[in-house]
Amino acid sequence: WHVCGPRGVGFVSGPMPTKVPSVLFVLSPNGQQKCAGEYTLVENQTANGYPLWKQSGGTSWIYAGLNGMWIVGGPDVKEKGFQCSFGSIFCKVLHHGTPPHKVDGTWWRLSGE
């Protein structure tokens, strides 16, 4: 699967850059298609100190898990106030403040649709 930012493909400990993309696109053709689509930055809200993106017309979120990884999770993570590390798609590389579309690592997905 690929996560496409405004200028590229894809998604260290430090502060998040002041400029983060307002929109991210997630493609997952081989599974977890429910997570695919456009994600819009949620203004004035963070998850574990990092920006948060909501799936347009869907129920998924791109958030920073407590484990330091970027994760695509469903409504259950919102119910937990993002105080978790659950999701259907995730990057195994710790982000250390790098936004999702810039993390240099492999993204993984759970089995299923």
Side-chain angles (χ1 to χ4, degrees):
W1 79 287
H2 300 284
V3 179
C4 304
R7 296 188 185 267
V9 177
F11 266 133
V12 98
S13 194
M16 195 66 157
T18 55
K19 182 147 175 83
V20 296
S22 59
V23 177
L24 295 170
F25 295 93
V26 174
L27 302 173
S28 185
N30 298 313
Q32 298 299 340
Q33 287 91 358
K34 67 182 179 195
C35 297
E38 179 181 280
Y39 287 74
T40 304
L41 181 67
V42 180
E43 297 290 335
N44 302 315
Q45 187 176 351
T46 62
N48 302 311
Y50 293 94
L52 177 66
W53 291 265
K54 170 79 171 80
Q55 185 182 35
S56 302
T59 60
S60 294
W61 302 82
I62 298 172
Y63 76 103
L66 292 175
N67 60 2
M69 297 176 187
W70 286 111
I71 303 171
V72 180
D76 55 330
V77 300
K78 169 70 170 165
E79 291 169 12
K80 294 181 184 304
F82 304 100
Q83 295 299 296
C84 58
S85 298
F86 305 128
S88 301
I89 298 175
F90 58 96
C91 184
K92 282 189 169 182
V93 174
L94 300 180
H95 62 73
H96 299 290
T98 302
H101 67 294
K102 298 269 188 188
V103 171
D104 186 23
T106 301
W107 285 77
W108 298 77
R109 65 173 170 78
L110 300 179
S111 300
E113 297 179 30

